Amino acid sequence: MIPGPRKHDRRSTTNDRSTLRPARLRPADVLRLGGTGLRTRPLRVFLSALGIAIGVAAMIAVVGISGSGQAEVDRRLDALGTNLLRVAPGATLGGQETKLPAEAVSMIDRIPPVREVAATGALEAKVYRNDRIAVGRTGSLAVLAADDGLLPAVGGRLRGGRWLDAATARYPAVVLGATAAQRLDVYTPGTRVWLGGRWFSVVGVLDPVPLAPELDGSALVGWPAARTYLGFDGHPSTVYVRTDDSAVAAVRAVLPATAKPAKPGEVQVSRPSDALAAREATESTLTGLLLGLGGVALLVGGVGVGNTMVISVLERRPEIGLRRALGATRGQIRTQFVTESLLLSVIGGLGGTVLGTLITAVYALNRGWPTVVPVWATAAGVGATLLIGMLAGLYPAVRASRLAPTVALAGT
């Protein structure tokens, strides 16, 4: 008996269809698909990534330069010390200028935690390059009488020559501050300048003094020479006090009564290191503004990435349709384009991080600062690029996943 044809088992066909599943993409496959779109359009990728890179570089450079400046201030304060106090005469209730007693330096020196005391006294004399200069062309330079111990007290250094000592302080010798030497165009010891109606010999030139910038624009003569040649009355105009680090607050509290016991309210006491810290705080405000501008540039770069991805979806409709016809799911299409956007942003972010670090390093080296790029700034820059890349690629990815295979293959 010849067997007849076997009946078709519909249940087996149904079971076979139910076991069909779309192929799952491994992470390596996702990265390869995302990178394919970037490799085929290198110029567009470069221009889009450049927008991200500029924003990230601006943010990292601003933060890095600010951090390097802060590190330089901290380094200078560590070297110069924060234990210097400045005592100056204040004003009376009527607004009139007062003077410190001539004995103020010796009285302050009796305070136990005080290690060094030095003073300067303001003089009416003017200093000129020579005796042919018009009287009114002073260059805004001051002439000060100075103690022998002034230089170590304020942490100053000589650029050239020597400081006033017992051998030169009683004779017509002068030490020029950094700004004064520049305006007088005098840098060589032994040069003569016209000071107070007579010739003084320059014996030294100072480097800038960060904790006492008023000395930079001054010509300093010895205390005895100021009395002998310039009619100095002996009243100090500024007293610089070095104390033990642990006793700065305590010494600051007693300085007014010690310097001028009769009227302590007419004495002003300040700490020069506070001025450097305040200047750094002022610069941090500008840093915040520049950081905001860098954020705007980064946002503009993100818009450029989004625009690139939208154009990429429009150009690659046949590719999308083919992949959909071959079984790719909408989720896989979305993942492909989001990954491509993320890779594009990461390229820009890494490039911007390198560029921002180089800008910071070059600027810091030119200024003689330590190079500091905070880790949080780098992490924030890369994190911002990832977020922007995801947001910029989300809409194009969703749009690509919604294309029907027939419509995409038709190119309409």
Side-chain angles (χ1 to χ4, degrees):
M1 181 175 180
I2 300 175
R6 298 179 61 183
K7 296 182 179 179
H8 182 70
D9 191 350
R10 295 184 177 178
R11 290 180 298 175
S12 63
T13 303
T14 304
N15 291 336
D16 292 340
R17 291 179 178 176
S18 63
T19 59
L20 293 177
R21 296 287 187 273
R24 299 185 60 182
L25 294 178
R26 295 173 299 176
D29 296 328
V30 174
L31 291 177
R32 186 169 59 254
L33 284 172
T36 301
L38 301 183
R39 290 193 300 269
T40 56
R41 299 166 178 82
L43 181 58
R44 184 182 300 171
V45 169
F46 171 77
L47 295 176
S48 299
L50 183 61
I52 294 288
I54 291 174
V56 174
M59 296 178 67
I60 291 181
V62 167
V63 175
I65 291 173
S66 176
S68 300
Q70 179 63 56
E72 172 64 12
V73 171
D74 294 340
R75 185 186 67 81
R76 290 168 63 187
L77 289 179
D78 290 340
L80 298 172
T82 58
N83 60 344
L84 177 65
L85 297 173
R86 182 178 182 273
V87 182
T92 64
L93 294 177
Q96 298 176 348
E97 295 184 359
T98 62
K99 291 184 178 182
L100 294 175
E103 303 81 10
V105 174
S106 59
M107 292 189 294
I108 292 174
D109 195 31
R110 297 174 185 174
I111 302 175
V114 171
R115 296 189 303 192
E116 292 178 276
V117 183
T120 59
L123 301 172
E124 296 295 331
K126 301 299 180 182
V127 59
Y128 305 92
R129 180 64 180 84
N130 53 55
D131 57 351
R132 303 298 179 89
I133 305 298
V135 176
R137 300 180 61 181
T138 62
S140 300
L141 301 178
V143 178
L144 301 175
D147 278 342
D148 297 352
L150 177 65
L151 200 61
V154 299
R157 295 184 302 178
L158 284 166
R159 179 181 301 174
R162 59 188 294 182
W163 177 244
L164 300 168
D165 52 27
T168 56
R170 64 182 63 192
Y171 298 107
V174 60
V175 174
L176 300 178
T179 303
Q182 180 180 9
R183 293 179 183 174
L184 294 174
D185 194 24
V186 175
Y187 303 97
T188 306
T191 306
R192 295 195 307 169
V193 294
W194 188 252
L195 193 156
R198 62 178 302 134
W199 292 105
F200 274 67
S201 180
V202 176
V203 296
V205 177
L206 297 178
D207 274 332
V209 186
L211 293 182
E214 61 274 10
L215 301 181
D216 295 342
S218 302
L220 307 169
V221 300
W223 206 271
R227 288 179 178 272
T228 302
Y229 302 108
L230 303 175
F232 181 43
D233 60 5
H235 289 274
S237 58
T238 306
V239 180
Y240 301 94
V241 183
R242 285 278 185 182
T243 73
D244 293 336
D245 293 335
S246 59
V248 173
V251 172
R252 185 172 186 171
V254 301
L255 275 178
T258 305
K260 196 170 185 178
K263 297 180 179 179
E266 297 179 357
V267 178
Q268 295 179 345
V269 180
S270 60
R271 188 162 66 167
S273 59
D274 293 341
L276 290 178
R279 185 175 64 185
E280 181 62 27
T282 302
E283 292 177 353
S284 66
T285 303
L286 179 60
T287 299
L289 175 61
L290 295 177
L291 194 60
L293 294 177
V296 172
L298 185 59
L299 181 61
V300 172
V303 173
V305 171
N307 183 53
T308 298
M309 295 307 301
V310 170
I311 296 175
S312 180
V313 169
L314 295 176
E315 290 180 345
R316 295 161 64 184
R317 281 185 167 192
E319 174 193 338
I320 297 169
L322 181 60
R323 291 199 63 226
R324 293 282 283 122
L326 292 175
T329 64
R330 290 185 175 183
Q332 291 171 348
I333 297 296
R334 285 196 298 268
T335 301
Q336 173 187 349
F337 281 90
V338 169
T339 301
E340 185 173 330
S341 177
L342 286 174
L343 289 175
L344 180 56
S345 297
V346 167
I347 292 173
L350 294 178
T353 300
V354 174
L355 180 60
T357 303
L358 289 177
I359 293 173
T360 301
V362 171
Y363 186 86
L365 289 175
N366 287 337
R367 299 291 298 272
W369 296 354
T371 302
V372 177
V373 179
V375 177
W376 67 264
T378 303
V382 175
T385 58
L386 291 176
L387 179 61
I388 288 178
M390 181 175 294
L391 295 177
L394 188 59
Y395 169 72
V398 172
R399 181 172 179 177
S401 67
R402 291 178 177 175
L403 290 175
T406 56
V407 175
L409 286 172
T412 58

